[in-house]
Amino acid sequence: MAGTYGVRNAAALLSLLPQAVSEAKTLYLSYSRRLIQLTERLFESRLPVSIERETSVGYSLRGSPDFARTVQEQARGTGRVVSREISFSIITPVTRLLAVFHRVLAVKLRLLAEDFELDDNRLERQFEYHGEVRHERLPSEVVGNAVAANIPSSDEIERMQASQFAAVRELVRLWLGFQQDKGIELDWQDRFDTAVKPVQRVYELWCLERIISILERSLGESEPKDSTRLPVPKRYDFPGDVTLFYDRSVRSIDGVSSSRHVGPDFRKPNAQVGKPDFLLAKDKRPVWVADAKFQTAESIDTSGLYRFLGYMIDFLAPGEGTAALLCAAGTPVRPQVSIEHRDTAVIATMSDVTAAEGRIEQSLQDTLDCV
């Protein structure tokens, strides 16, 4: 990693990246993190459901009438009607696989902690997450089954591999790799994505560490609000009622609405809003929005720009907040622009790390000084 990002950048990441990655057994940590990511994707969209059809013969309708068979019943003089009822169930091969995978990995992580005498909050949070999914988010009928009863059959595996949902297909691939102990045979990119973080996420974490460091120098030590679901906290509280949110949908801040349009104007009030990489709030009011792009300043994709502009318009009031676009490299066409009376900085962080850190610090300081 030091060879890829430079010694200074790599050193800044060490406090955020998982430890204990030298032994083969620690691949369980990699599988655990990847399973957590896939589980969140599945729950954020919609878990696949199974369709169950039941035919009922009686003296009242239950569902849609089956006229042909009802006529036969009437001809026999029974007086009964035949109906067909369709029900949906989330007890599927996917939920069964989630139950068994989370259960097995919870056991593996506990043994790993004991074998290596690990005392790591991140490991504990991952262990707690596996238990939370099984006991609070999956059907009790599935969780109560024995491990063998939840393991999908080969036919079910084939159907999941052909699923229209990418997260389901990835879940199956992860399970098969775990079953066949193929973790150490992943190519370098797959291994990097599962064992540590995708390169975009590593860059976001580097930016997060730098922003926290800058804020702590001027405001004092932060207090992370740990999440039991993810290895990296999503909220950091600083003295002076300053709060930094990382990669989190912030609909409200301690009960005070943060969205200006998404929710009040275009969706029902409780709808989630977008997830900017970084959102800084002062006195429970958003004042700084930033997105980290592992791209050059000259080649940022259009969809990423639209999202950034959407976050800026929705969270920041005109003239009352600033924004920053943190690019990995390149030369910005205009390093400072005004968009609808909102000052916006475009910063190439890796071209000159010291200068970039100074610009980020200046952007944050100017924002806090103005509110």
Side-chain angles (χ1 to χ4, degrees), residues 19-32 105 108-109 111-116 118 123 178 181 184 191:
Q19 300 179 15
V21 293
S22 59
E23 299 289 339
K25 282 187 177 180
T26 59
L27 282 173
Y28 296 144
L29 289 168
S30 306
Y31 279 107
S32 171
L105 278 176
K108 297 293 188 183
L109 290 187
L111 294 175
L112 180 66
E114 294 173 357
D115 290 345
F116 288 87
L118 298 179
L123 176 62
F178 178 79
D181 197 21
I184 57 175
R191 186 185 175 96

Side-chain angles (χ1 to χ4, degrees), residues 60-312:
S60 61
L61 280 173
R62 293 178 56 190
S64 303
D66 185 331
F67 293 108
R69 294 186 58 182
T70 297
V71 169
Q72 295 175 2
E73 291 291 331
Q74 297 299 320
R76 289 197 291 267
T78 64
R80 297 183 299 181
V81 295
V82 181
S83 55
R84 290 175 295 182
E85 188 175 19
I86 297 178
S87 61
F88 299 92
S89 173
I90 61 171
I91 301 177
T92 64
V94 173
T95 51
R96 285 169 32 224
L97 180 55
L98 285 173
V100 69
F101 211 166
H102 280 284
R103 180 174 178 178
V104 170
L105 278 176
V107 173
K108 297 293 188 183
L109 290 187
R110 181 56 69 203
L111 294 175
L112 180 66
E114 294 173 357
D115 290 345
F116 288 87
E117 298 182 352
L118 298 179
D119 183 15
D120 192 315
N121 290 334
R122 286 176 290 260
L123 176 62
E124 187 62 29
R125 286 197 297 270
Q126 288 176 234
F127 178 79
E128 291 176 355
Y129 179 91
H130 294 307
E132 177 191 336
V133 168
R134 287 168 39 238
H135 298 302
E136 298 181 17
R137 305 175 71 183
L138 290 175
S140 57
E141 299 91 336
V142 170
V143 176
N145 289 341
V147 171
N150 278 334
I151 296 177
S153 66
S154 57
D155 290 341
E156 290 172 330
I157 289 291
E158 288 184 7
R159 287 197 294 271
M160 284 191 285
Q161 287 177 319
S163 171
Q164 61 179 318
F165 300 104
V168 173
R169 299 194 300 270
E170 292 178 34
L171 176 65
V172 174
R173 285 198 294 269
L174 190 69
W175 169 252
L176 294 177
F178 178 79
Q179 286 291 92
Q180 300 171 24
D181 197 21
K182 286 188 175 179
I184 57 175
E185 297 174 19
L186 297 171
D187 64 40
W188 74 268
Q189 173 134 15
D190 286 340
R191 186 185 175 96
F192 184 71
D193 285 352
T194 57
V196 186
K197 292 287 182 185
V199 64
Q200 169 65 27
R201 186 66 68 183
V202 171
Y203 177 60
E204 288 177 11
L205 290 174
W206 180 85
C207 292
L208 173 64
E209 195 277 338
R210 291 291 83 203
I211 292 170
I212 291 174
S213 177
I214 291 168
L215 290 171
E216 286 186 337
R217 286 201 298 267
S218 59
L219 300 174
E221 189 173 347
S222 64
E223 180 184 351
K225 298 296 185 181
D226 290 343
S227 168
T228 59
R229 297 183 179 180
L230 296 172
V232 179
K234 298 291 188 178
R235 172 174 174 165
Y236 301 81
D237 289 343
F238 295 84
D241 202 13
V242 175
T243 304
L244 175 67
F245 296 94
Y246 164 63
D247 189 32
R248 174 171 166 177
S249 180
V250 186
R251 184 169 54 84
S252 63
I253 303 172
D254 297 334
V256 178
S257 176
S258 59
S259 170
R260 299 176 62 246
H261 299 294
V262 178
D265 298 333
F266 295 102
R267 293 185 184 176
K268 57 186 179 181
N270 292 328
Q272 284 197 338
V273 297
K275 293 198 300 183
D277 291 336
F278 308 103
L279 176 66
L280 189 71
K282 168 72 172 175
D283 297 327
K284 302 177 178 57
R285 181 165 56 88
V287 294
W288 188 76
V289 172
D291 249 15
K293 300 294 182 187
F294 193 73
Q295 301 170 21
T296 62
E298 303 91 342
S299 61
I300 299 174
D301 59 277
T302 305
S303 61
L305 282 174
Y306 279 140
R307 284 195 300 274
F308 171 70
L309 294 172
Y311 298 149
M312 184 184 64

